[in-house]
Every structure is written in C-alpha cells, then in structure tokens.
Amino acid sequence: MIDTSIKQKIDQWLAGNYDEATKSEISGMLERNEHEALSDAFYRDLEFGTGGLRGIMGAGSNRMNRYTLGMATQGLCNYLKQNFPDEQVKVAIAHDCRNNSDVFARIAAEIFSANGIKVYLFKALRPTPELSFAIRHLGCQSGVVVTASHNPKEYNGYKVYWNDGAQVTAPHDKNIIGEVNKITSIDEVKFQPNPELIEMIGEELDEAYMQEVLKLSISQEAIKRQHDLKIVFSSIHGTGITLVPEVLKRFGFTNVHVVQEQAEPNGNFPTVVYPNPEEKEAMTLALNKAKEIDADLVLATDPDSDRVGIAVKNQKGEFVLLNGNQTGALLINYLLQAWQKAGKLTGKEFVVKTIVTTDLIKEIADSYNVTMYETLTGFKYIAEVIREKEGKEVYIGGGEESYGYMIGDFVRDKDAISACALIAEIAAVAKDNGQSLFEMMVSMYEKYNFYKEELLSITKKGQRGAEEIQQMMADMRSNPPKQIAGSDVVEVRDYKMSTRKLIMTGEEHKLTLESSNVLQYVTEDGSKISARPSGTEPKIKFYISVNEPLASAADYDATEQKLNQKIEQMLKDLKLK
C-alpha cells in the first residue's frame, strides 16, 4: 500500500501542469503496482542542499527531472536578482557526459534567460573546474554545472557556484535553499526562454583556462629530459578527454596513451560499474594498458573531471593504486620543496586540507614553516579560506582524501586537469632523480612518518537507511569508546556540537568550524577515526588514519603490515567488521 500523503502527491502530479511523458511514467508504475519505487520517488521533495541537487533521474518529487531542476533554478534566479538588483546578472553553465546532462543544462539556461539573466552556456561537455574558471573569467555572479560527479549512471545533479568560482557557502547556501523552498508549484517556474540572452561558449574558454594551467609547471627542464615518460590516461567515458591529453602535451609529455575503450563520452559508463577512480574496478582497463606498455604512471579522471586516481609501480614492479591521501601528500610535498628551492617561501604562504584528510600534510607543512588550515569536507570550504586570505596570504595548494586537489587559485574547486599535469611532472622529476613515484613516496614516509589511511563506506538505502545512519551517529555520540586497538581515546571532536573534549582532564574547547555532522576519536598513539554521513549519497563513511615511523625503505612492507593490522583491529573494536 502507498502512504496517503504520498498518494496525494502522486495525484497532484497526474492532475498538474506536467508533460504527458512524465504522467505516463507515473501511471505505468501505478499499473504495475510498483509501490516501493513510487514511494521512494514521492516520499519527499528532492532536497536542494548546500551544494545543489543530486538524485536518481525519473518522474517524481524526489527525482532529478525538468521540474525539480526547474523549481531549483527559479529559486536561484530569484535569489540572484535580490542580491544583484542593479546589475545585469550573468551565469555560466556547463555539463558533463551523463544521460540528460545536456538537456538539463539547456533547460537551466532557458529558465535563467526567461528571468532576464545573461547565460554563457558551454556548447558541449566540459570539466567542472573549467566552469569554476569561467565564472571569474567572464565576470559572472553565479554558475551551475550539471553533473552527479562519480555517482552511478542512474543519477544526475546540479552544483551551484557563486561569483568567486566556488560552490556556494554561508550565508548564500542557506538563503538559496530558502528561496528554492518558496517555490511550491511548477507554475511559478518561467520555462519560456529569451534566446537573445543565451551565448554559446567553448574553445576560447579552453584556451584561457589551459594558459593558467601551464603557468603551474615548475620543473620544465626535468620534463624536457623525461618527455617520453610513459603515461596511461583514462577519462572513464567522461569530460577529461576534452582537456587532459592536450594539457599533458603542452606540458611537454610526448608518450601519452589514452585508454580508447573509455575515451568516448558515454553516460551509461559501459565499461565500469561505478565511474569512480577511487574504485579499483574502474581502473582495470587503464591498469591492463599500463602492464601492456610497462607504463611509468596511470591517470584516470571521473565523469566531470574534478577527481583523479593514479597508479604507479611499487618496489616489486607491480602496479598499485595510490589513495587520495597519498597523492595529496605527494603534491603538497613537491610544491613546498619547489617553492623553497625557488626562494618563494616568505612566511605568508599556506596550504589547506579537510578534517578527514591525512595529517601527513600538516607534518610536511610544519617542516617548511608553512601554515596549514583545516576545513570541513568539501572544496567550497577550501575556496572559502582562499577568499578570506586573499591579498594577505598566498595559497599554494590543497586537497581532500576523496581524490580532489587544487593547485593555484585560478580555479576555486577541485581540478583533475591541473592535478594530472602536476602529478605527471612529479613522476618526471622522480625519474630524473633515478626514482619511481612510489620510491619518492617512500622517501617522504622516511622523512616524516608512514601514514596509512582507509575509508569504509556503509550504504543504507531509502528512508529506513537514513534513519539507521542517524541512529549510528547518535550511539557513537552517547557512548564513545574508551580504547581503540589497545590505545586510549584521548580526544573526542564533535563537529556537530562544535566541541573538542580532552578525555584525561575532561576539558572542553570550542571548535571554530561551522557545525557539521562529523565525529572524530583521537587515540594516544596518534591514530584517528572519523565518522561522517555523506551529504549526497545514502552512506555513512568511516575514515581511519594510523601512522608509524619508517626507519628505511627496506622496512616498508613490515611497517605497512603492522599498520594494516592496527586498522583491522580498530574496525573490529568499533564493530564495523
């Protein structure tokens, strides 16, 4: 049986001003008694969260479709016009390779134009970081990109940006949500476009963006000597194919092998289960190619090209995937080394990481006397720090464990295009010094500490799943462990309550970051576990970090085994395995 309130909503859609295809889809589900699917499609309105929309495509108030997108866009239009009353408001719009992304981008453009807003619409798919760049380059007040990042193929979404090229943060995020929530009917949405206000953009933006990426190169001499470094690149059917090969070529790399089976943009992602470079399965074809040609480096970007996964050969000659923490630490280590060598470190520079990203980055920054700022999860917070420090301090780079990095500040979101170029450059520098990228990483661990991180994601689908995740967080808050893997818990950080409690003394300190549903336990031996429900997927994520000194490269395997055992014990103690 369908709940009464859900049935009422279904009836409203069947009787309302919706197109026949939408009504037919709903009627078909009713005829087939697909009660569970209908309940999920209508039990709530697709939430316009702090970053925008994301959901499964289809008919229904809890689905991504022209109407949910339309109401969100109308709310955003209203907010922009309130905020910039005496200006010609301008927005930039890009889309990725997903099914309907081009359609949704066009619908959004038409609604903006119908509201008297000037639109710069990319004429074909483009990476998300290029959209971020375009906003500032074209002097826009806002921008949107139609993407669901690395979600499965059934999903699509819509990310909203502000005039600094960053995803919206407070107070705009909550205020936009308020305006979107005021739109209670699709009849309030202006769907009739004004074509004169829509301008198509493309190659000229590519060129301006790539010129900025090229300025990031530090070691051109090493690249000249190692130009034939064997690189395998896969765009996993996404937008990376539009720019990554060209940027690598312009950096000076002459031996780049594109994984052809994944080069064609395709929203069905036919060769992978999840189009996510964090998943080993998504990297299979790239790894096969790498083995075939004995590559030095494997790079793969997600559908909207804001994340990059990499693989390198370990000391036994086997290809291994590096996680986001390892790649992020390598990038920061390289950048700070290079800045110091060039005499550019003046004491005003800074790097940024999120609270669930490896503390190795802090150890590296401290060793160079470079300030490290920590933010909540999400690149919009990293961009917010850059905005606050602009003109006073100099941003070098930053990143988060989920494979997102940003070097330089011309883009204000994670950028896999520039990250691919810099990672290739680091691999070239390593080779120039007679090392592999993996050996360079081991040297970094010897200098600082061997940090090992693991992410455990637990999926809980639907309405019941969301309630279970809430209960898990409540239980961990009310009953924190006293010991994990034989080490006492010395600190509990509750970012929802903005408190940091020292267990030994009972002291409580205020956390300065804005409230977020994240809980962290820190143990006496320097281990850390963070629990965080995902804001965009029906998941709760556990981030585990452990570390040990690494005496020498010869001790790598034994130390890694020790760290793995510690992680395993932590998962058992927290009843997660």
Side-chain angles (χ1 to χ4, degrees):
M1 281 292 292
I2 298 174
D3 184 87
T4 314
S5 62
I6 293 172
K7 183 72 173 73
Q8 270 182 330
K9 206 180 257 188
I10 291 169
D11 290 342
Q12 281 170 6
W13 276 58
L14 288 172
N17 199 11
Y18 297 83
D19 62 65
E20 285 310 311
T22 299
K23 291 181 180 180
S24 172
E25 189 180 332
I26 298 165
S27 301
M29 289 166 83
L30 280 167
E31 285 162 20
R32 293 187 297 273
N33 292 317
E34 293 175 9
H35 293 169
E36 196 177 332
L38 276 165
S39 293
D40 194 52
F42 284 96
Y43 86 89
R44 62 173 190 167
D45 291 340
L46 185 63
E47 188 183 355
F48 188 91
T50 52
L53 289 173
R54 192 178 296 186
I56 294 168
M57 290 179 278
S61 61
N62 187 35
R63 292 286 181 261
M64 182 73 179
N65 51 59
R66 68 178 280 117
Y67 302 107
T68 51
L69 175 129
M71 291 167 80
T73 306
Q74 187 60 53
L76 176 57
C77 288
N78 295 349
Y79 185 69
L80 285 167
K81 291 173 88 172
Q82 286 166 25
N83 262 264
F84 305 100
D86 303 317
E87 298 176 48
Q88 168 64 70
V89 179
K90 296 181 281 187
V91 299
I93 303 176
H95 69 82
D96 71 4
C97 60
R98 286 178 177 271
N99 297 330
N100 300 315
S101 281
D102 55 343
V103 176
F104 289 146
R106 169 56 69 174
I107 292 166
E110 289 174 352
I111 295 166
F112 280 120
S113 73
N115 281 273
I117 292 170
K118 167 78 177 172
V119 180
Y120 296 101
L121 176 64
F122 277 98
K123 60 187 176 189
L125 78 169
R126 284 297 187 281
T128 288
E130 191 176 355
L131 182 273
S132 170
F133 170 77
I135 290 167
R136 294 170 76 226
H137 185 74
L138 296 168
C140 297
Q141 285 81 1
S142 181
V144 297
V145 59
V146 178
T147 179
S149 189
H150 57 284
N151 277 51
K153 64 182 179 182
E154 296 80 16
Y155 284 77
N156 215 323
Y158 174 107
K159 287 195 283 199
V160 179
Y161 292 75
W162 204 242
N163 59 3
D164 63 340
Q167 287 188 58
V168 286
T169 53
H172 302 301
D173 52 2
K174 302 284 194 300
N175 292 346
I176 293 168
I177 290 168
E179 286 301 320
V180 171
N181 291 342
K182 285 180 193 173
I183 310 289
T184 55
S185 161
I186 59 159
D187 297 330
E188 296 171 58
V189 181
K190 297 176 182 175
F191 282 109
Q192 277 309 111
N194 178 351
E196 288 177 17
L197 288 176
I198 301 173
E199 184 179 329
M200 305 308 285
I201 56 172
E203 290 78 9
E204 65 283 10
L205 260 293
D206 298 343
E207 198 53 48
Y209 165 80
M210 284 192 285
Q211 287 305 319
E212 291 298 326
V213 177
L214 291 174
K215 289 176 193 172
L216 297 174
S217 184
I218 301 161
S219 307
Q220 273 296 302
E221 289 306 310
I223 293 174
K224 277 178 190 161
R225 287 189 291 271
Q226 304 298 336
H227 66 89
D228 61 347
L229 187 84
K230 281 188 209 161
I231 301 169
V232 169
F233 170 68
S234 173
S235 56
I236 314 182
H237 305 291
T239 59
I241 199 67
T242 61
L243 290 178
V244 174
E246 181 60 24
V247 164
L248 289 172
K249 181 181 165 189
R250 293 194 190 192
F251 255 60
F253 294 103
T254 59
N255 199 1
V256 178
H257 300 257
V258 173
V259 178
Q260 291 302 329
E261 302 96 313
Q262 296 178 324
E264 188 72 33
N266 189 328
N268 291 319
F269 309 111
T271 64
V272 296
V273 179
Y274 294 106
N276 183 358
E278 293 178 69
E279 306 275 350
K280 188 170 185 179
E281 178 270 334
M283 302 284 279
T284 303
L285 289 174
L287 288 168
N288 291 346
K289 183 82 176 168
K291 287 169 196 163
E292 182 194 314
I293 66 165
D294 191 30
D296 296 292
L297 175 65
V298 179
L299 299 164
T301 51
D302 71 341
D304 68 324
S305 302
D306 59 0
R307 298 169 196 253
V308 56
I310 79 170
V312 294
K313 276 187 286 190
N314 66 11
Q315 64 274 63
K316 297 167 198 153
E318 305 157 337
F319 279 97
V320 290
L321 302 179
L322 298 194
N323 65 34
N325 287 299
Q326 292 170 314
T327 305
L330 276 166
L331 276 162
I332 296 299
N333 191 44
Y334 172 70
L335 290 166
L336 295 189
Q337 256 178 3
W339 277 58
Q340 186 185 61
K341 197 174 171 185
K344 287 168 67 180
L345 293 182
T346 66
K348 289 187 174 179
E349 292 72 29
F350 68 96
V351 297
V352 194
K353 78 173 190 73
T354 67
I355 56 174
V356 295
T357 299
T358 183
D359 288 328
L360 174 55
I361 288 172
K362 177 160 174 52
E363 286 208 37
I364 295 165
D366 286 350
S367 76
Y368 287 95
N369 292 316
V370 167
T371 305
M372 188 210 74
Y373 294 106
E374 219 171 28
T375 71
L376 295 174
T377 304
F379 252 77
K380 61 183 179 179
Y381 297 113
I382 293 177
E384 192 173 39
V385 173
I386 295 169
R387 189 166 66 241
E388 284 166 5
K389 307 292 173 189
E390 212 151 13
K392 294 171 278 190
E393 296 176 36
V394 179
Y395 171 77
I396 294 177
E400 60 183 9
E401 49 66 49
S402 57
Y403 293 56
Y405 319 101
M406 186 169 85
I407 302 115
D409 65 359
F410 61 93
V411 166
R412 299 295 171 93
D413 202 355
K414 50 188 177 284
D415 182 355
I417 312 299
S418 58
C420 279
L422 263 292
I423 292 162
E425 178 166 309
I426 300 169
V429 169
K431 195 165 187 181
D432 210 40
N433 293 327
Q435 279 186 312
S436 68
L437 196 55
F438 188 88
E439 286 165 338
M440 185 187 263
M441 182 178 75
V442 174
S443 300
M444 178 175 71
Y445 289 155
E446 285 179 77
K447 184 175 178 183
Y448 301 103
N449 257 342
F450 188 165
Y451 275 77
K452 178 97 183 176
E453 280 84 20
E454 192 155 307
L455 171 65
L456 175 70
S457 284
I458 299 171
T459 301
K460 303 269 187 184
K461 288 193 174 175
Q463 194 172 358
R464 184 178 292 178
E467 288 161 6
E468 284 176 30
I469 288 170
Q470 280 182 343
Q471 191 56 52
M472 285 173 85
M473 290 299 287
D475 292 344
M476 285 187 292
R477 281 195 167 88
S478 60
N479 191 22
K482 291 182 170 57
Q483 208 180 57
I484 308 173
S487 184
D488 290 343
V489 174
V490 294
E491 196 177 314
V492 177
R493 299 172 192 164
D494 188 338
Y495 288 87
K496 189 176 186 181
M497 308 310 292
S498 298
T499 57
R500 176 173 160 256
K501 187 174 183 179
L502 305 179
I503 304 302
M504 297 289 284
T505 61
E507 285 174 65
E508 275 202 9
H509 299 274
K510 190 93 176 139
L511 291 169
T512 54
L513 300 179
E514 73 177 79
S515 175
S516 179
N517 193 11
V518 181
L519 194 60
Q520 284 184 334
Y521 304 134
V522 182
T523 64
E524 199 169 15
D525 67 0
S527 301
K528 185 164 78 175
I529 184 156
S530 312
R532 174 182 163 263
S534 170
T536 55
E537 300 168 271
K539 286 180 179 178
I540 181 167
K541 296 182 178 182
F542 294 91
Y543 306 80
I544 296 161
S545 177
V546 295
N547 67 87
E548 287 273 338
L550 180 64
S552 72
D555 297 325
Y556 182 88
D557 287 346
T559 308
E560 184 176 43
Q561 194 176 353
K562 192 177 173 184
L563 292 170
N564 285 339
Q565 286 166 351
K566 193 185 278 190
I567 289 169
E568 203 60 30
Q569 192 57 52
M570 290 173 84
L571 291 170
K572 280 179 188 163
D573 288 357
L574 291 159
K575 298 184 172 57
L576 297 172
K577 267 202 172 175

